[in-house]
Structures are given as structure tokens and as C-alpha cells.
Amino acid sequence: MDSEKTNSRRQFLAKGAAFTGLALPFGAAKAQFGAEMEGLHPRRYDVVNATDERGFSLAYGSRAKFETPQRIASTTANGAVLGAYTPLQDLDGIITPSSLHFIALHYADAPPIIDPREHRLLIHGLVDRPLEFTVDEVKKFPSVNRVHFLECAGNSAPLFHEDARTAQTIHGWTSCSMWSGVLLSTLLQQAGVQKKARWILAEGADGAKHTFSIPLEKAMDDCIVAYGQNGEAVRPEQGYPLRLIVPGFIGVANVKYLRRLKLVDEPHMTRWETTGYVTARPNLRGKALWFDHEWGPKSVITRPSGGQRLEAPGYHQITGLAWSGAGSVRRVEISTNGGRTWKDAEVEGPAYRKAHTRFRMDWRWKGGGAELQSRCTDDLGNVQPTQAELAQLIGAPGPEWFKKTGIIIHDNHIQPWRVDRDGTVHNALL
Amino acid sequence: MDSEKTNSRRQFLAKGAAFTGLALPFGAAKAQFGAEMEGLHPRRYDVVNATDERGFSLAYGSRAKFETPQRIASTTANGAVLGAYTPLQDLDGIITPSSLHFIALHYADAPPIIDPREHRLLIHGLVDRPLEFTVDEVKKFPSVNRVHFLECAGNSAPLFHEDARTAQTIHGWTSCSMWSGVLLSTLLQQAGVQKKARWILAEGADGAKHTFSIPLEKAMDDCIVAYGQNGEAVRPEQGYPLRLIVPGFIGVANVKYLRRLKLVDEPHMTRWETTGYVTARPNLRGKALWFDHEWGPKSVITRPSGGQRLEAPGYHQITGLAWSGAGSVRRVEISTNGGRTWKDAEVEGPAYRKAHTRFRMDWRWKGGGAELQSRCTDDLGNVQPTQAELAQLIGAPGPEWFKKTGIIIHDNHIQPWRVDRDGTVHNALL
């Protein structure tokens, strides 16, 4: 080691106003400092790919081995994996860890593996200049980073499934991420949208070529061609390398593995938008709504929630998530007596638009029975309905109607959790 | 399958105002819908722990195999691993993926493994009621979720290291997370802080019992006893199961594996606060400042940055991160001509207090030489200094002084990146 380098390392300085005005003689500090810090000064930069025998990786870390929150799979009658639910009751804050983001699988038991170097995004149809982009080319455009929830249209529908008793298995088909990418409007402006265009057909590169029609107005508003999720690349289950994010719309509209955007003059009437994801309403006298894709205001208390148990009377924090497909969360109210009286919860801001928003309220459980409900109001004034209010709104015969219903499309009614005297928490609608 | 269940599954309904008023006959929709959706209705909820042959895990996902951003280790003269740097230039948004959060290792080459069921947090000293908490007990208190950066005091000090040429190796000892936990003030109120108390000694459960003194005023302001990071548990490298978050203070004050908080009347004068992490200032005539731990306003352009290359003249987005230990980012300015003229960058809001904040600006590179700089102003009006301004501020002889300096404590001066005619980007201070 040459002595000049050694000396220069033992010199040091820094800046800024002192937090506390204590000072010690410089010489004394220098002597100690040199000895302590000499060992801390980096000499080399190394790529360390190894994982040690205890599972520690310097290059890319993993969670503690004691941690067990995980997605739970749902399977269909014929045994196919339909998707997996986020453990909402185990999470804090508003960002869903990417490893626990819910999954919906329409066509296969596992997501496709796509080499990003081979992937292309085509924009064509009613445009002045058809364009094809590599993923790297997409990344060169002006970028945005926005927090948005995704939610499968069928979320909360398992409300009456005999095995669905927790926040996860009833409501876990929603998650929230910071999405990074390019505004779809930016790419469309490059291509030059022709006057006749009214809709966009979005197509994925999965084996079945999933397709969905997006109104042009929505595409030009806030849709994102996303390559990033929570700081790093979009996860394979979420559409790697490119996913169309359609903020506030049901999950199926947020086309994964996005490879084609065709500008068209009318909706394409794809398989899913004409069948599974339509809105039937008794009060429409036998009609079903197409393209009714925006989520209403919604919330769910995640702690305490079904399957949990309050250990003892006394202080408990009630917390959960609220969101709206139309805007941001303005207010969340909580009732602890089955909806008779309501109190404002604290909404942890800033509340992002079309994003999960954390709420909480202090509660003193007296030890008797209780019923917890949360009610979301968004910044447009839309209020989350109770099941009875929703029944009335759509012209269903009454709340009992819901019990007969197998699948509900974008159900947003209030979830009541019943607390029994022994502290156990249950779905009060079962 | 009994027919009543089958029938009930084929009924469906939903709610809400239609986005588009199209409608189709209910009967037709129902027939199609039934056939399509029958297969999609969950029948079972399964815990699926297996990872398939392609690496896909339903329970807990991982990133695409094509993705390579990783932490880079720094090692000391004697070969010990000092820590690892976040690949800032590869990330989007403001949340650092937990797997890529920077690591500082003072005492061992790997973080300790702590069973959270065995872990305890003791609060004692000048309190009315000494208290000991399990991790589960800590989680029962009112919680907060806040986005804060962490930054090692030695970050940006490798500015003149011959191998440190990238945003990662120069500045990658800073990361940003949503931290979840209990305000330290909440726990202290439980214990009852006595009037004589002025400082808190925080101690970790790592092998060397890392200790650091925190002013009581700061502890009562915004410190968090965190159990959560980005939605799930704090990572082992970051202090699992409990970490003290001291927002805006240098990383070493944010004690990992937090096991003890002792209320005392004066700082404990621990090893690190009296030696390595003191601020020496030439203009103090041989004195060094103790407890000068708050970060000033700071920013770094992460794209384009050292080691990258602009492929061709034309449009490029300049983007990066800004933060301040004193508050939120109010303004970021960018210069493309070495600081002669400045333009306001777009600051992506909402800007959290004491958190990374994303900025960006459109730029048209003409193909000649250029020098990119960013300058942060926080909401208290503090402005990030150039190297020359910082030299003047601390009474150093001049900018060349920095070149002789081995270690700088909480250095926040402006990073200039030089763009050469061939598009390659370099640290302009080397």
C-alpha cells in the first residue's frame, strides 16, 4: 500500500450545519477516525452472485425464512388453477410486494416466459404511421411512475363460497403497485391516431392471444404501457415484459404480455368482453351491460378480518384498504355495530388516484359481540353501498338474492366482519 | 355436481353505472356467460408451495430470469465485505425493491438470523415503567406506513475511487422504502419518559450489539420502530424483525435488530458516533462536529449516468432521484451545460417527506459534449451545493481538496456527468 494513498484516506472532511453543536478536538477525532474508518473504506467493487449456506444473497435478497405470507391458489371444478390470492390480512401499507401480487390465469397454469429481446409492440389500424417497438425503444420515451390498484372483476364474488372465510380468499384478487412505463397516449401520438378511431384492441403475446377492447377516450386519458412494477421489471405473472395498465378498470382489461394495439372504429367484441365480463342487471329487464368496466368505491377491513381472533378485550387497531376506480379515496367510515353508527377513519395520505389507500381507527373492544364494517367515499362523492343498497340499486329482489349468485362482476359492496364473544372473526354475510 | 349449485352458479348480477350503454339480450348473455365462466368459478382454495420446472411459484413469485439488476459488493483492503450498493440506474419510481436495498455491514459478512418469536424490545432507563415487548406486541399498537429514504453516511464518498464510475458504485448506498411500524413516540408514551431524559441509546441484537444515541426530540418527532418494509416484513439485511427508522438521519443511526432503547440524560458516546461518523470541518479550526447526522438536500441523475451510453443524438429523458433529510423536495433543477444555465425538472408528486422523489426532464442531445447536473431544493429552502460551494461552505481550500479526501461524511454535493461526443457518460469530477 503506498503511503500517499494511506495518508489521503486518513484525511477527511464534510459539510452541513450541525444538528447538535458538540465538538471535539480535531486531532483526537482524526486519530480515532482513521483507525476506525480505514477498514470501512471500499477498495474494490465486486459482483457477488453466491448465496451463502444460510440463504443470504448480497446480489439479490430474499425474505426471512420465518416469514410465511403467501398467495393461495383457487382451482376450478376441473382442477385447473384459476389464479392466486394476495394475503391482504398479512400486509402493511399500500404497495403489494410483487411476489405476492394476485394472479389471474385464463389460459394456462403458468405465465408464459417471454424473452424481452424478442418481444415487439405493434401499433396499427387507424393510424397515420404503423409503428413497431422493441422493449428498449418503449423505455426511451418520457416515463411515468404511478401507483394503481389492479382488481379482477370476479373479486369478492367468493363471498359465499363455503371455504372463503378470510380477507385473502374473499377479496385477495386485488393488489396495488407502483407501475412505471410510458403513457399510452404518448405512443399513440407517435403513431398519429386517425379521426375515425374510437376503440383500441389490445392483444397479449400469451399462447391464447388474450384480447380486450379499450375505449380510445380511456386510452388517451391515463393508460400506461408498463415495463416496471415496484421499481424493477414487471413480474412474469403480471405480463413481463410489457403490460397495459388501464387504471380503475377490471383486471382483464389490463392486457398482459402486450404485443399489439389496433386502432379501430368500434369494439372488437372479444370473447371475454362479450361473455364473462358483462354486467347483468335485473332492473334492465333481461339486458346485460357491455363495457361496464370501471370499479366503484370499495374498501375492506383487513385487520381484524375473517379467520383472525382478538386475543383479549381492550385496544385494537382497525385497519384496511380502500380504493375507487373513478378517482382517489376522500373518506373512509367505520362502524363497529353493524352499520348503525359510523365514525371517520384516519386515511393515510397522500391518497393516490385509483390506488389502494390505507385507513385505520383506534377501537376498544369491550369483549361482547360486534360487527365491523368500512365504507369508502371517493373524490367524486360516490359511496360504497351495503349489500342491501346494492340490491336496491340494481333492482335485485333483495339481499338474499346475492346468496344465490355464483359470480358477481365488479362487486363492491360493504364487507361486514362479525366478532364473536370469544374474539373470533367471521364473514357476517355467511 | 348437484344441479342446484350448478344453476346458482349460472346466475349472476352486478352493479354500477355503465361506462358505455351497450346492452345485449340477457338470455343470450346468460347462455354464453354460463359456458365461459363455469370453468372460472373457484371451487377450492389450495396452498401451492411447489415451484414448477420453469421456476414459477404460485405461492411467492420471483422476477423474470432475464432480469439482471443486482447489488454490487464493496470490499475493504483486508477483503471484508463492507456492504452492497443499490443499482439506482436500473430502477424506476421511488420504491427500491427490497431485494435490491443497499446493505451496510459493520460487523459481519452476513446479517444475523433472528427468530422473531424469541426477539424482545426493552425500553428502560429514565422511564416510569420499564417495558419489554414481543414483536407481536409491538404490532398491536397504532401503526403508520411512511416512505423514507435510508442513506449510509459514507454514500457518494467513493466519488474518486478509481473503480467507482456509475450511479450505483458512487451513490448506491441510498434506497427508499415504505416502512410500516409504530411511532417510537407511541412506545415511549407507554413507558412514561422522565423529565431528565434527553437522549436515547438504541441497541441492536446483532453479534456486536451495535449502538447509537438518538436525541429525544428526534425520537418523539418522527422515528418509527419498523416491522414492515414495502408491505411485508423488514428484510434480514435491513434489521429483521425490528428496525429503528430515524428519518433523514445517516444510515448508521437507524439501528437494525432493535432490542433495547435506554432513556438517558446525555449521549452515550458510542464507538461510531464518536469516531467514524463525526463531521470534520476545516473552518472549525481543528474541531469535529458530533451528532451532525441529518442529510442535506441531495439529488443524482440516474439516467443518463456514468457507464451508460447515449446511442444517438435526439430525444433523451433525463431522470433521477432527489431527497432531503430535512423535509420534502420542493424543486429540482437540471443543467445540461455544466451548471451555466438551469431549467426546472418535473418533480413527480406527491413528494413524501424525507423520501426519494423522482424527477425528469425532456432533453434533446445535439451530439456534442455536454455536462448534466441536477440540483435539489427542499421545502425549507435548503439548496444542494456544487462541490465548489460546498468547499467554500466548510472552509476547505478549494474543490481540489475533495480529490485528496478518502472519506466524506454525508456528502451531498452535485454530481456532474460528462457526456462525450461518442455518447459515453462519465463522472465529470474524475
Side-chain angles (χ1 to χ4, degrees):
Chain A
M1 189 188 305
D2 82 55
S3 66
E4 189 190 318
K5 277 197 178 171
T6 307
N7 284 337
S8 74
R9 267 187 205 101
R10 289 202 171 137
Q11 298 178 48
F12 58 104
L13 84 168
K15 57 86 225 87
F19 181 82
T20 299
L22 296 177
L24 81 163
F26 185 71
K30 185 174 171 180
Q32 281 186 277
F33 178 84
E36 293 286 355
M37 295 303 272
E38 180 60 27
L40 283 186
H41 193 207
R43 298 299 172 93
R44 289 207 325 270
Y45 297 91
D46 296 320
V47 173
V48 178
N49 274 314
T51 298
D52 75 10
E53 68 283 357
R54 309 181 317 158
F56 171 62
S57 163
L58 245 158
Y60 192 83
S62 52
R63 65 177 178 173
K65 65 177 182 179
F66 304 100
E67 290 301 305
T68 56
Q70 61 177 12
R71 296 186 288 220
I72 290 179
S74 60
T75 49
T76 63
N78 61 15
V81 174
L82 180 55
Y85 294 89
T86 293
L88 297 175
Q89 70 284 348
D90 297 326
L91 305 182
D92 292 295
I94 61 167
I95 300 293
T96 309
S98 299
S99 296
L100 294 171
H101 193 290
F102 85 88
I103 312 173
L105 293 167
H106 282 91
Y107 307 105
D109 278 0
I113 293 178
I114 296 176
D115 185 335
R117 292 161 298 194
E118 306 295 323
H119 191 77
R120 298 291 182 276
L121 171 62
L122 173 68
I123 300 181
H124 69 139
L126 298 171
V127 294
D128 297 334
R129 292 167 297 279
L131 295 173
E132 193 181 59
F133 300 103
T134 65
V135 176
D136 279 345
E137 285 166 351
V138 170
K139 289 183 180 176
K140 291 217 170 79
F141 284 94
S143 64
V144 295
N145 306 279
R146 294 187 182 169
V147 178
H148 289 304
F149 75 90
L150 287 182
E151 183 172 14
C152 177
N155 198 32
S156 311
L159 199 53
F160 305 108
H161 191 291
E162 54 268 32
D163 295 331
R165 298 170 183 277
T166 67
Q168 178 167 15
T169 49
I170 303 173
H171 304 290
W173 263 346
T174 185
S175 304
C176 186
S177 304
M178 178 169 274
W179 299 102
S180 300
V182 179
L183 283 176
L184 178 51
S185 60
T186 301
L187 297 181
L188 293 178
Q189 280 154 10
Q190 291 288 314
V193 177
Q194 295 183 349
K195 281 191 180 168
K196 278 183 63 186
R198 290 287 177 279
W199 289 78
I200 296 184
L201 177 72
E203 181 184 80
D206 47 311
K209 301 182 206 170
H210 174 67
T211 49
F212 215 81
S213 301
I214 311 293
L216 182 62
E217 188 185 352
K218 177 68 179 172
M220 298 301 287
D221 177 15
D222 59 0
C223 290
I224 301 168
V225 176
Y227 45 77
Q229 178 186 5
N230 298 336
E232 57 188 346
V234 168
R235 287 294 178 91
E237 305 94 291
Q238 300 308 324
Y240 180 85
L242 293 177
R243 181 172 199 170
L244 182 63
I245 299 296
V246 188
F249 274 31
I250 56 176
V252 71
N254 296 257
V255 175
K256 301 175 187 178
Y257 321 107
L258 184 69
R259 73 167 183 188
R260 189 162 72 96
L261 293 163
K262 185 176 184 182
L263 283 283
V264 289
D265 58 355
E266 55 184 22
H268 202 78
M269 312 310 275
T270 71
R271 171 181 173 188
W272 295 111
E273 68 205 29
T274 55
T275 56
Y277 297 92
V278 299
T279 305
R281 287 176 55 169
N283 63 353
L284 284 183
R285 297 173 181 270
K287 304 266 184 181
L289 290 175
W290 279 336
F291 306 108
D292 174 24
H293 292 157
E294 190 176 276
W295 277 97
K298 189 165 178 178
S299 66
V300 59
I301 293 169
T302 55
R303 289 196 297 266
S305 60
Q308 297 180 334
R309 184 172 172 274
L310 303 180
E311 272 182 27
Y315 174 83
H316 292 273
Q317 180 175 247
I318 297 172
T319 185
L321 296 167
W323 61 97
S324 169
S328 61
V329 172
R330 179 201 289 169
R331 181 184 195 188
V332 179
E333 298 156 286
I334 290 177
S335 173
T336 58
N337 54 20
R340 285 201 300 280
T341 59
W342 296 85
K343 273 191 202 168
D344 277 323
E346 184 181 352
V347 174
E348 202 170 64
Y352 290 102
R353 283 173 56 73
K354 308 177 185 180
H356 284 180
T357 305
R358 177 66 58 177
F359 64 85
R360 56 174 177 249
M361 195 180 81
D362 295 334
W363 178 47
R364 193 157 288 281
W365 178 48
K366 291 177 185 155
E371 188 182 302
L372 309 180
Q373 301 184 10
S374 62
R375 179 165 68 187
C376 171
T377 302
D378 69 21
D379 62 348
L380 300 177
N382 300 313
V383 181
Q384 182 181 12
T386 63
Q387 195 180 67
E389 288 164 350
L390 181 56
Q392 193 170 24
L393 183 71
I394 65 175
E400 69 284 355
W401 220 90
F402 289 87
K403 293 209 177 184
K404 300 188 201 158
T405 302
I407 297 169
I408 304 171
I409 295 298
H410 54 64
D411 180 10
N412 71 330
H413 75 241
I414 288 172
Q415 168 69 61
W417 299 115
R418 188 184 75 247
V419 181
D420 286 350
R421 287 175 187 280
D422 64 356
T424 56
V425 187
H426 308 271
N427 176 5
L429 291 171
L430 266 188
Chain B
M1 189 189 305
D2 83 54
S3 65
E4 189 190 316
K5 276 199 178 171
T6 307
N7 284 337
S8 75
R9 268 189 205 100
R10 289 201 172 140
Q11 298 177 47
F12 59 105
L13 85 167
K15 58 87 224 90
F19 181 82
T20 297
L22 297 176
L24 81 165
F26 185 70
K30 186 175 169 178
Q32 282 184 277
F33 177 83
E36 293 286 356
M37 295 303 271
E38 181 60 26
L40 283 187
H41 194 206
R43 298 299 172 92
R44 289 206 325 272
Y45 297 92
D46 297 320
V47 172
V48 178
N49 274 315
T51 298
D52 76 9
E53 67 283 357
R54 309 181 316 157
F56 172 61
S57 163
L58 247 157
Y60 192 82
S62 52
R63 65 177 178 173
K65 65 177 182 177
F66 304 100
E67 290 301 305
T68 55
Q70 62 178 9
R71 295 186 288 220
I72 289 179
S74 59
T75 48
T76 62
N78 61 14
V81 174
L82 181 54
Y85 293 89
T86 293
L88 296 175
Q89 71 285 349
D90 297 326
L91 304 181
D92 292 295
I94 60 167
I95 300 293
T96 309
S98 299
S99 296
L100 293 171
H101 194 291
F102 85 88
I103 312 173
L105 294 167
H106 282 90
Y107 308 105
D109 277 1
I113 294 178
I114 297 176
D115 185 335
R117 292 161 298 195
E118 306 296 323
H119 191 77
R120 299 290 183 274
L121 171 61
L122 173 67
I123 300 180
H124 69 140
L126 297 171
V127 295
D128 296 335
R129 293 168 297 280
L131 295 172
E132 192 181 59
F133 301 103
T134 65
V135 176
D136 279 345
E137 285 166 351
V138 170
K139 289 184 180 175
K140 291 215 169 80
F141 284 93
S143 64
V144 295
N145 305 280
R146 295 187 182 169
V147 178
H148 289 305
F149 75 89
L150 287 182
E151 183 172 14
C152 177
N155 198 32
S156 311
L159 199 53
F160 306 107
H161 190 290
E162 54 269 32
D163 296 330
R165 298 169 183 276
T166 67
Q168 178 167 17
T169 48
I170 303 172
H171 304 291
W173 262 346
T174 184
S175 305
C176 186
S177 304
M178 178 169 274
W179 299 102
S180 300
V182 179
L183 284 176
L184 177 52
S185 60
T186 301
L187 298 181
L188 294 178
Q189 278 154 12
Q190 291 288 313
V193 176
Q194 294 182 350
K195 281 191 180 168
K196 277 181 65 186
R198 290 286 178 281
W199 289 77
I200 295 184
L201 177 73
E203 181 185 80
D206 47 311
K209 301 183 206 170
H210 174 67
T211 49
F212 215 81
S213 301
I214 312 292
L216 182 62
E217 188 184 352
K218 177 68 180 173
M220 297 302 286
D221 177 16
D222 59 1
C223 291
I224 301 168
V225 175
Y227 44 77
Q229 179 186 4
N230 298 335
E232 56 188 347
V234 168
R235 287 295 178 90
E237 305 93 290
Q238 300 308 325
Y240 180 84
L242 294 177
R243 181 173 199 169
L244 182 63
I245 300 295
V246 188
F249 273 33
I250 55 177
V252 70
N254 297 257
V255 175
K256 302 176 187 178
Y257 321 107
L258 184 69
R259 74 167 185 187
R260 189 162 72 95
L261 293 164
K262 184 177 185 182
L263 283 282
V264 289
D265 59 354
E266 55 184 22
H268 202 78
M269 311 311 275
T270 72
R271 170 181 172 187
W272 295 111
E273 69 206 30
T274 55
T275 57
Y277 297 92
V278 299
T279 304
R281 286 176 58 168
N283 63 353
L284 285 184
R285 297 173 182 269
K287 304 265 182 179
L289 290 175
W290 279 338
F291 306 108
D292 174 23
H293 293 156
E294 189 177 277
W295 277 97
K298 190 166 178 179
S299 66
V300 60
I301 294 170
T302 56
R303 288 195 297 265
S305 60
Q308 297 180 333
R309 184 172 171 273
L310 304 180
E311 274 183 26
Y315 175 82
H316 292 273
Q317 180 175 246
I318 297 173
T319 184
L321 296 167
W323 61 97
S324 170
S328 61
V329 172
R330 179 200 288 168
R331 182 185 196 187
V332 179
E333 297 157 285
I334 290 176
S335 173
T336 58
N337 54 19
R340 285 201 298 280
T341 59
W342 297 86
K343 274 190 202 168
D344 276 325
E346 185 181 352
V347 175
E348 203 169 63
Y352 291 102
R353 281 173 56 74
K354 308 176 186 180
H356 283 180
T357 304
R358 175 67 57 177
F359 63 85
R360 57 175 176 249
M361 195 181 82
D362 296 334
W363 177 48
R364 193 157 290 279
W365 178 49
K366 292 175 185 157
E371 188 181 302
L372 309 180
Q373 300 185 10
S374 63
R375 179 166 68 189
C376 170
T377 303
D378 69 21
D379 63 348
L380 299 177
N382 301 314
V383 181
Q384 183 179 11
T386 62
Q387 195 180 65
E389 288 164 349
L390 182 55
Q392 194 169 24
L393 183 70
I394 66 175
E400 69 283 357
W401 221 90
F402 290 87
K403 294 208 176 183
K404 299 189 202 157
T405 303
I407 297 168
I408 304 171
I409 294 298
H410 55 66
D411 180 8
N412 71 329
H413 75 240
I414 288 172
Q415 168 70 60
W417 300 115
R418 188 185 76 245
V419 181
D420 286 349
R421 289 175 187 280
D422 63 357
T424 55
V425 187
H426 308 271
N427 176 6
L429 291 171
L430 266 187

